[in-house]
Amino acid sequence: HTDWRIPNVKELSSLIDYEAQIGGPMIDRAFHATTCTGCTDINQPSCSCTGESYHFAYCSSTMIPSDGSGSGPSGKLFSVRFERGDNHAFDYSDCLVRAVRGGL
């Protein structure tokens, strides 16, 4: 497939399960299972598992606007932590990504 992309913050936040217990994983069960292990074949459903990485931030493609000082973008992206089901700002190199397919 050639239509993979990084989701925007709204799309990424839609994976949060707000009825799950805080402390994680607060991600829809379709993306997390107790049997999640390493991924060796991206065609297998287990490869969409978040596994123990729910503790880390997942970056969206949504940039945080500059602070208005004229210095351009902040260099940070909105991200989601599925451990607590909240959004944060992270530098590009400080978070994981979850690719999605298709248009916006």
Side-chain angles (χ1 to χ4, degrees), residues 18 28 77-78 87 93 95 100:
Y18 291 103
D28 187 296
L77 297 169
F78 280 107
N87 295 333
S93 62
C95 54
V100 295

Side-chain angles (χ1 to χ4, degrees), residues 7-85:
N8 63 45
V9 70
K10 184 176 181 179
E11 292 171 311
L12 192 58
S13 295
S14 74
L15 301 180
I16 296 172
D17 178 358
Y18 291 103
E19 294 181 9
Q21 181 177 0
I22 292 178
M26 292 186 70
I27 187 168
D28 187 296
R29 289 179 189 248
F31 300 100
H32 185 79
T34 56
T35 59
C36 289
T37 57
C39 176
T40 57
D41 180 357
I42 63 170
N43 294 310
Q44 297 299 315
S46 63
C47 288
S48 58
C49 285
T50 302
E52 291 302 310
S53 64
Y54 72 85
H55 294 286
F56 300 100
Y58 280 80
C59 275
S60 73
S61 62
T62 307
M63 297 238 7
I64 294 177
S66 123
D67 61 7
S69 65
S71 61
S74 66
K76 295 183 183 282
L77 297 169
F78 280 107
S79 64
V80 171
R81 288 191 58 169
F82 296 111
E83 181 177 22
R84 292 180 281 214

